[in-house]
Amino acid sequence: MSTTETAKKEPQKLDAIVFGAGFAGLAMLHKLQNSLGLNARVIDKADGVGGTWHWNRYPGARSDTESWVYCYSFDPTLYREWKWTERYPRESEIRAYLEHVADRFDLRKNIIFSTAVLSAHFNEKTSRWDIETDKGDRFSARFLITGLGILSAPNKPPFPGEERFKGQVLHTARWPHEPIDFAGKRVGVIGNGSTGVQVVSELAATVEHLTLFQRTPQYSVPAQNHPLDPQFLDGIADSLEPYFDRVRKSATVFAFEDAKVGAMEVSAEERERVFEKAWRDGGGFNFMFGTFNDIAVNRESNAAAADFIRRKIAQIVTDPAKLEAVTPTDLYARRPLCDNGYYQAINRSNVTVANIRQNPIIEFTEKGVRTSAGEVELDYVIFATGFDAVTGNFTRIDFQGRNGVKMKDHWAQGPRAFLGLSAAGFPNMFSLYGPPGPFTNQPPAIEWQAEWVSQAIKYAIDNGIETIEATPEAEQAWLDECKRIEEMTLFHKIDWWVSGANIPGKVKAVSFYMGGFGEYMKHAELCASQEYKGYTLSPAKARAA
Ligand code: NA7
C-alpha cells in the first residue's frame, strides 16, 4: 500500500449514495431516507440544490414545460402548498421549489455540497461501491443511484484565439450568480437551440446590438406564457392522482392530451385549424405531439407542420434577408422549441443574424469574433452551444463495475442499460433518467422511477439479496427495442444532441426509449412483478460460498 493510500480517510459506510441534487437526487433521497429509513447521502458539486437549474441562470432561462407538471406529485400537501406563478417557471422559481422540497422533507442534512465525485468502483470483495471525491472523502455504499442529468455537462466548442478577446465569454450552462447588465452592450450569441432562442428573446430589447451566430435555423412556436391563477392549481391538487396518472400515461408526460389522428387523415382545412389552435395555445411539445399523432414519424405530416411554421415565421420576420436566414428547410424533427417572442426579436433593427454555416467562425479577436464574412466587434460572447448530452456526466466520473470494467468502455458504442436504469456488470447501481430511457418531461417520470428503484432496493433488502444486476441479455434486448422504435421516428434522421452528433468524435447512438412513458412503465412494472426479470439477484450466501 502506498503512502498516499495509507493517508486516505477511512471510508464512511452507507446503505446508499446518490449522485446529484436535482429533481432525481432529491426524490431518491426522500425515498431512501424517509420511506425506507436508510442511511443515505447525496453528493453534488454545486453549493446548493437544483441540479441543472443550479447552473442555468442565463437571461430568459425557464422550463418550457407547464409548471404544474414540471414538479413532483408524490405528496399532495407539497403540491397544494406550492403555488407556481407562471405557466412556464423561471429558473429561479424552479430552484426555489427544489429548495423548498429539500427543507420540507429534511433532506439537507444528508446532502454533501461543493463536492465532486471522482470515482465509483464496485468492490467485488465487499459487493459495495467504493466512492472517492475531490475533497478526499471516501464512502462505501451498498447501493449507488445516479441522478446526474442528461443535460448538464456543458459543451463549449473551442475556437482559436478566445484568450485574446478583451470582452467577456459566458456559457449559458455555467452562468455567473451575479446579474450582468447588458444595457448598451454588443452581445454575440452562438447557438439557437432551446437555450439560444431564450437568450435572444430575452436580451434583444436590452442590448445595444445582438449578433446571433446561427448554424442551423430551427422551428419554434410561441410558448404563450401567462400568469397562473392559484385556483387553477388547487383544481389539479383536488384530483392529483388521476391527473398525474393521465399525464404519466401520455407519450411525453406533458399536460396536454396526446393527439389521436394523423395529419393526413383530416382535410387540409381541418389541419390548418388544428395547427392554428396549437399556435395560439402555445408549447413546442404540444405543437408536435398534441396536434397530430404522426408529425414525428410521417414525412408528409411532418412537412405539413413545418410548412405551417414557416408561413408563420414569414408573417413575423419582415426583413427578407433575415427571413431567409432563420427559415428552416429540413425536417421538423429536433426537440420541439417554443419561445417568448423569438422571431419578433430577430426582426428588431438591433439584431443581426450571422449565418455561420455559410461563413463559419474563424477565430476570436481582441475585439470580437471573426467569421469568414468579417469581424464582429463585441463586448460579450454567450455560448448557447448546449451539452455533452446524455452520457457526458457518466464519462466524466470514473465508474468501474465488475472486473474493473469502466462505464466509458462499456458505453464505447453508445449508452446501454436495461430500462435505462441498470447497466450489465454494474450491480446495485441504478440511474434515474439514465440512458437509454424515456424521452419525456422529466420530473414526473423521474419520481416514478425513484419509487420503482426504492421498491427494488427494498425487495433486495427484505429478501437477503446482496446484488441485483441487469443481465447482458436484458440490456441488449432493451437497446434493440429502443433502436427499433427510434428508427421508426424522424428524430433518427437528424444530427443533434440526442444522437450525440453535436459533439465531434462522439459515437452516434440510441439514447432514448421513444415508445412513450405509458409503455415504459408497463415494461418496468412487468419486470418488477416477475421478481425483477432481466436482473440477476444474488443472495448473500452466494458470495460467502
Ligand atoms: P442544443 O439544442 O444542443 O443547441 C446548441 C446550439 O449551439 C445549436 O444551435 C448548435 O448548432 C449550436 N452549436 C453547437 N456547436 C456549435 C459550434 N461548434 N459552432 C456553432 N454553433 C454550434 O443546446 P441547448 O442548450 O439549446 O438545448 C439543449 C437542451 O437543453 C434542450 O433540448 C432542452 O431539453 C434543454 P447546430 O444546430 O448543431 O447546427
Side-chain angles (χ1 to χ4, degrees):
M1 193 181 271
S2 72
T3 348
T4 21
E5 276 176 327
T6 41
K8 279 179 179 172
K9 287 185 196 168
E10 266 304 297
Q12 204 180 326
K13 253 185 147 177
L14 299 172
D15 296 321
I17 196 155
V18 182
F19 297 165
F23 272 102
L26 296 187
M28 198 67 236
L29 180 60
H30 173 55
K31 304 276 177 206
L32 296 167
Q33 171 192 302
N34 300 331
S35 303
L36 300 184
L38 298 181
N39 181 18
R41 298 284 184 285
V42 167
I43 303 183
D44 198 300
K45 59 177 181 287
D47 63 6
V49 301
T52 201
W53 295 107
H54 176 85
W55 305 98
N56 282 269
R57 303 179 186 221
Y58 59 85
R62 60 172 81 235
S63 168
D64 62 4
T65 303
E66 276 85 2
S67 51
W68 62 91
V69 290
Y70 198 76
C71 58
Y72 302 121
S73 65
F74 65 79
D75 187 289
T77 316
L78 166 68
Y79 196 90
R80 196 174 283 283
E81 75 195 3
W82 185 264
K83 293 287 183 255
W84 296 104
T85 61
E86 291 177 273
R87 176 175 179 180
Y88 303 102
R90 267 196 191 279
E91 44 81 25
S92 50
E93 199 171 10
I94 300 169
R95 228 170 21 253
Y97 171 74
L98 290 173
E99 279 163 9
H100 172 71
V101 169
D103 291 333
R104 193 179 194 293
F105 298 104
D106 196 20
L107 301 177
R108 286 184 199 275
K109 64 184 182 198
N110 283 322
I111 306 178
I112 303 163
F113 290 114
S114 306
T115 301
V117 176
L118 299 178
S119 63
H121 295 175
F122 184 70
N123 182 330
E124 306 221 31
K125 291 199 191 96
T126 59
S127 282
R128 299 175 74 86
W129 283 92
D130 295 337
I131 287 105
E132 291 199 17
T133 74
D134 65 345
K135 296 279 159 56
D137 297 319
R138 300 169 72 208
F139 301 92
S140 160
R142 183 164 169 203
F143 295 99
L144 164 60
I145 302 101
T146 68
L148 291 170
I150 54 161
L151 293 159
S152 50
N155 167 41
K156 186 165 175 289
F159 292 107
E162 196 188 303
E163 67 293 341
R164 61 173 177 256
F165 176 52
K166 296 271 192 284
Q168 195 178 345
V169 173
L170 297 155
H171 193 294
T172 49
R174 285 292 176 272
W175 201 261
H177 290 197
E178 311 73 43
I180 300 173
D181 183 6
F182 287 103
K185 303 294 183 195
R186 299 159 305 171
V187 177
V189 178
I190 305 177
N192 56 308
S194 327
T195 304
V197 160
Q198 288 185 333
V199 173
V200 170
S201 309
E202 182 88 0
L203 281 188
T206 311
V207 299
E208 181 189 304
H209 197 92
L210 190 148
T211 306
L212 170 64
F213 295 94
Q214 176 201 265
R215 200 162 59 176
T216 316
Q218 293 241 42
Y219 297 90
S220 184
V221 306
Q224 309 289 19
N225 192 27
H226 55 73
L228 281 184
D229 179 351
Q231 278 182 356
F232 167 78
L233 297 172
D234 287 341
I236 295 174
D238 287 342
S239 56
L240 194 60
E241 246 189 80
Y243 185 85
F244 269 83
D245 189 49
R246 182 194 63 72
V247 166
R248 267 191 278 268
K249 282 182 180 148
S250 73
T252 54
V253 190
F254 273 73
F256 61 85
E257 303 259 354
D258 286 338
K260 306 233 169 5
V261 291
M264 294 301 131
E265 291 171 46
V266 301
S267 67
E269 293 72 35
E270 174 61 4
R271 217 163 30 240
E272 192 73 4
R273 190 195 65 73
V274 171
F275 284 143
E276 187 64 47
K277 180 174 182 312
W279 184 270
R280 269 185 277 112
D281 289 348
F285 276 79
N286 180 39
F287 197 91
M288 189 179 269
F289 298 101
T291 49
F292 297 104
N293 64 10
D294 59 352
I295 305 283
V297 291
N298 177 318
R299 276 185 182 268
E300 223 183 326
S301 302
N302 189 272
D307 174 63
F308 179 89
I309 300 174
R310 276 195 295 265
R311 281 187 279 124
K312 285 291 188 186
I313 300 172
Q315 285 168 16
I316 305 169
V317 181
T318 49
D319 174 330
K322 278 189 195 175
L323 176 61
E324 193 188 340
V326 299
T327 301
T329 51
D330 54 1
L331 288 167
Y332 174 42
R334 291 164 176 242
R335 182 196 187 283
L337 306 189
C338 63
D339 65 83
N340 295 296
Y342 174 64
Y343 296 111
Q344 288 81 353
I346 292 289
N347 212 26
R348 295 175 60 94
S349 58
N350 68 333
V351 173
T352 306
V353 182
N355 180 342
I356 55 170
R357 174 84 61 198
Q358 235 164 45
N359 300 300
I361 295 176
I362 295 168
E363 59 178 357
F364 276 65
T365 62
E366 269 189 31
K367 291 184 183 161
V369 166
R370 188 191 312 282
T371 72
S372 58
E375 188 180 28
V376 183
E377 294 190 7
L378 299 163
D379 301 306
Y380 290 93
V381 176
I382 300 175
F383 280 76
T385 44
F387 302 92
D388 180 358
V390 184
T391 55
N393 273 340
F394 285 90
T395 48
R396 286 169 199 207
I397 293 173
D398 174 24
F399 286 104
Q400 288 184 27
R402 281 197 194 282
N403 305 315
V405 172
K406 289 177 183 290
M407 183 69 92
K408 73 172 187 317
D409 293 333
H410 187 59
W411 285 7
Q413 297 310 311
R416 42 192 307 128
F418 179 41
L419 299 169
L421 289 166
S422 303
F426 292 77
N428 290 356
M429 174 174 169
F430 299 94
S431 298
L432 298 181
Y433 218 81
F439 183 69
T440 61
N441 165 37
Q442 296 190 34
I446 281 172
E447 69 172 342
W448 190 90
Q449 284 188 325
E451 173 60 18
W452 190 95
V453 168
S454 76
Q455 289 304 321
I457 289 175
K458 183 173 181 329
Y459 184 89
I461 293 172
D462 291 352
N463 291 282
I465 287 158
E466 189 168 82
T467 54
I468 170 167
E469 179 179 359
T471 65
E473 295 75 22
E475 183 189 72
Q476 185 61 46
W478 180 250
L479 186 60
D480 292 345
E481 177 67 354
C482 293
K483 191 161 180 273
R484 183 185 71 79
I485 297 172
E486 203 200 90
E487 282 175 357
M488 292 192 298
T489 72
L490 297 170
F491 295 124
H492 181 67
K493 313 278 181 218
I494 290 279
D495 283 343
W496 58 316
W497 63 259
V498 158
S499 62
N502 64 327
I503 305 294
K506 195 168 171 178
V507 171
K508 270 186 85 172
V510 173
S511 306
F512 288 100
Y513 171 76
M514 293 198 172
F517 198 65
E519 289 304 305
Y520 176 85
M521 289 190 297
K522 283 187 204 161
H523 281 287
E525 274 162 355
L526 187 67
C527 160
S529 69
Q530 297 181 338
E531 293 178 330
Y532 296 94
K533 189 168 179 219
Y535 285 88
T536 302
L537 309 179
S538 307
K541 62 177 169 21
R543 185 172 63 94

